[in-house]
Amino acid sequence: MSLTILIWGVFAARLLLACSCLLLSFRLIKGPKAQDRIIGLDTLYVIVMMLFATFTITTNSRIYFETALIIAMIGFVSTIALAKFLMRGEVIE
Amino acid sequence: MTPQLPDLTNVPELPLILSLLIVFFLLLGSLFTFIGALGLACFRNFYDRLHMPALGTTIGVTAVLLGTSLYISYIEGHIIGRDILIIFFLAFAAPINGMMLARAAAMRDFTQNWHDPSDNMFHRLVTDETDTQLEQEENKNAANQGTKTALAPTHTGKATPKTRHRSKNNDKSLI
């Protein structure tokens, strides 16, 4: 009983996260300016990190937490670099 | 029809209250993230869109990682604290991202002479001018300059007329 609840709950959560990934891909492709694309990419990083965290439940493996941590850090650094590039034209000055 | 999942034969049967708690956290977090993504896809202006990912990066990440951390702590038998690290990191990273992107967008819009078509109220708050005064002033400026209206330089080289009220190609011409 509890296993069925857990499986369906994880399935619904992944479905919602996948739908939000699709919406953010729409914003990433269409977005009228560069800053819209960058904010879509940043949020896409976070949502993929949450998808990796839900993989922990069905695979019983702790390694996805490390993956999620690395994805979060790389997403933060890439967003900062892209915002600096938009503002100044170069990342390191 | 059950979703296709890897084998769960080595998973012990969880207590019902723990399973309900994990599912509640997962659904809460993914629902908030979905609302944030919906707002990011549907809002019309960049400065409106900038608010929405904060739903996903605060409540969504916290709830989802708490749910998975409850599960893995029950399986392993001791508390796994890595997700607390991710939650704190993202909670500190999200406002920095928002501030940097807002500054970059504001600088770009300022240099490209951008106007929000629905920005009349803010302009009125700042300058104490009414819409009719603004229209009269713009008409006077246009009459003074004749056919040569004030043009904003764009990347495509195509000039856009500087209008405060609703113009359809105002958002498309500036990439």
Side-chain angles (χ1 to χ4, degrees):
Chain A
M1 179 61 191
S2 68
L3 201 60
T4 312
I5 291 174
L6 195 67
I7 288 174
W8 278 102
V10 172
F11 181 66
R14 278 185 197 162
L15 202 65
L16 278 175
L17 289 180
C19 286
S20 41
C21 271
L22 280 182
L23 287 173
L24 290 178
S25 315
F26 165 72
R27 182 51 68 198
L28 186 63
I29 293 169
K30 182 180 176 285
K33 293 188 208 170
Q35 52 259 33
D36 298 303
R37 295 195 168 97
I38 290 175
I39 197 165
L41 188 68
D42 176 41
T43 318
L44 202 58
Y45 265 108
V46 175
I47 290 175
V48 170
M49 194 267 298
M50 286 155 69
L51 268 178
F52 270 102
T54 59
F55 284 152
T56 307
I57 289 184
T58 53
T59 58
N60 284 327
S61 164
R62 261 171 39 191
I63 199 167
Y64 288 106
F65 273 147
E66 275 87 357
T67 316
L69 186 58
I70 289 172
I71 287 176
M73 291 174 69
I74 289 176
F76 170 65
V77 173
S78 70
T79 307
I80 291 296
L82 283 171
K84 285 284 288 182
F85 179 73
L86 272 193
M87 204 169 0
R88 294 283 181 186
E90 52 188 74
V91 179
I92 301 168
E93 36 186 347
Chain B
M1 166 209 160
T2 51
Q4 190 73 34
L5 288 175
D7 65 315
L8 293 166
T9 53
N10 53 352
V11 176
E13 189 80 9
L14 271 72
L16 186 62
I17 180 69
L18 183 64
S19 171
L20 282 177
L21 200 61
I22 290 170
V23 167
F24 169 71
F25 274 134
L26 283 182
L27 286 184
L28 181 76
S30 52
L31 195 64
F32 268 88
T33 312
F34 180 69
I35 293 171
L38 201 64
L40 190 61
C42 293
F43 275 164
R44 294 170 59 200
N45 190 1
F46 174 73
Y47 301 102
D48 295 341
R49 278 177 218 136
L50 194 59
H51 295 277
M52 296 316 289
L55 278 179
T57 43
T58 54
I59 301 177
V61 165
T62 306
V64 168
L65 289 181
L66 271 183
T68 55
S69 174
L70 272 179
Y71 177 81
I72 203 70
S73 302
Y74 182 77
I75 292 295
E76 299 265 331
H78 57 90
I79 293 177
I80 309 289
R82 280 192 187 81
D83 60 329
I84 308 293
L85 203 63
I86 304 176
I87 290 169
F88 271 100
F89 184 74
L90 278 179
F92 283 116
I96 300 175
N97 280 339
M99 188 201 68
M100 295 288 286
L101 274 175
R103 285 180 65 189
M107 181 173 280
R108 277 165 66 93
D109 289 339
F110 181 71
T111 54
Q112 287 176 349
N113 209 355
W114 180 80
H115 284 291
D116 188 7
S118 62
D119 203 19
N120 287 324
M121 190 182 71
F122 180 70
H123 193 267
R124 229 177 295 147
L125 281 178
V126 171
T127 60
D128 283 337
E129 286 176 337
T130 59
D131 280 345
T132 54
Q133 281 175 347
L134 283 175
E135 281 179 2
Q136 286 170 2
E137 186 181 350
E138 280 182 1
N139 287 335
K140 201 166 62 182
N141 285 339
N144 282 340
Q145 290 176 355
T147 60
K148 203 180 82 173
T149 55
L151 302 178
T154 59
H155 289 296
T156 58
K158 205 164 37 172
T160 57
K162 182 183 174 185
T163 56
R164 178 168 300 278
H165 296 284
R166 302 193 179 271
S167 67
K168 284 186 178 177
N169 54 356
N170 201 5
D171 204 19
K172 283 180 187 171
S173 60
L174 306 173
I175 301 298

